[in-house]
Amino acid sequence: MKLYPSIDERLKTQHLAIGHILLKIAPRRLLKRPQPNKWNIHDNLAHLASYQPTFIERVNQVLINDQPLFGRYEAAEDPAFEDCRALASDDLVKQLSIDRQKITGLLTNLTDAELNRIGVHKKYGPLNIVQWTEFFLLHEAHHIFTIFQLAHDTELQ
């Protein structure tokens, strides 16, 4: 089992959409909240940047342990999320690319046996590394879509 072409391509390029979405966005727009206590664009970027190292760690745990169990990732419980929120949005976008290279390098060098190793998600059950990667990419796509919506929502002007 190898990473199928869709996963491979999204790993390499999906995160790059963020830079294009933000290209002509005013800096103040990055901090505009859609509602009180709801994440703005910057918070979504901080979440994506803080989760990538967690994903790398989870893949490594799957590789060295027999069916490790993982709960839902909660940004509020991750000190790295607050650290990322303190960074500039441009720096977060750069960090996403740096960590994505690490993720891509890790995953594309795994053997079929390693890709088939299982980690158990508390809600979604047993997932092999390919399925974890699909989950990671879909989660990221959700946040990229949210960033797009916040960047273009005419009611937030």
Side-chain angles (χ1 to χ4, degrees):
M1 168 187 287
K2 288 289 180 204
L3 297 176
Y4 47 91
S6 172
I7 283 183
D8 188 50
E9 193 60 34
R10 286 179 289 148
L11 273 173
K12 293 175 185 169
T13 63
Q14 177 171 273
H15 66 289
L16 299 175
I18 296 168
H20 295 286
I21 293 167
L22 300 181
L23 195 59
K24 295 184 181 182
I25 300 300
R28 71 184 191 296
R29 183 70 180 241
L30 299 172
L31 302 175
K32 183 82 173 161
R33 295 196 180 283
Q35 298 173 17
N37 299 320
K38 292 291 184 178
W39 282 359
N40 56 30
I41 291 171
H42 185 80
D43 293 333
N44 277 275
L45 291 171
H47 172 62
L48 291 175
S50 63
Y51 182 69
Q52 285 193 136
T54 298
F55 178 72
I56 293 168
E57 177 58 27
R58 287 183 175 193
V59 170
N60 285 324
Q61 288 300 312
V62 171
L63 291 171
I64 61 173
N65 294 304
D66 187 33
Q67 298 194 17
L69 175 65
F70 302 105
R72 181 177 180 205
Y73 173 83
E74 295 285 348
E77 297 171 9
D78 183 0
F81 174 66
E82 287 303 322
D83 293 342
C84 285
R85 286 177 87 188
L87 298 174
S89 295
D90 288 348
D91 292 335
L92 293 172
V93 172
K94 289 175 191 168
Q95 191 62 48
L96 284 168
S97 288
I98 291 167
D99 287 339
R100 183 52 58 86
Q101 289 177 353
K102 294 175 187 175
I103 291 169
T104 303
L106 171 63
L107 295 173
T108 57
N109 289 313
L110 296 179
T111 65
D112 288 350
E114 289 170 325
L115 289 170
N116 276 312
R117 290 191 56 86
I118 300 292
V120 181
H121 189 279
K122 191 172 183 178
K123 181 174 182 176
Y124 300 116
L127 303 171
N128 65 32
I129 289 177
V130 173
Q131 292 167 321
W132 274 102
T133 305
E134 184 67 62
F135 179 42
F136 166 79
L137 288 166
L138 291 170
H139 169 257
E140 179 184 67
H142 162 78
H143 285 281
I144 293 172
F145 180 55
T146 298
I147 290 167
F148 179 89
Q149 289 175 308
L150 293 171
H152 296 285
D153 188 338
T154 57
E155 295 178 5
L156 290 178
Q157 301 293 334

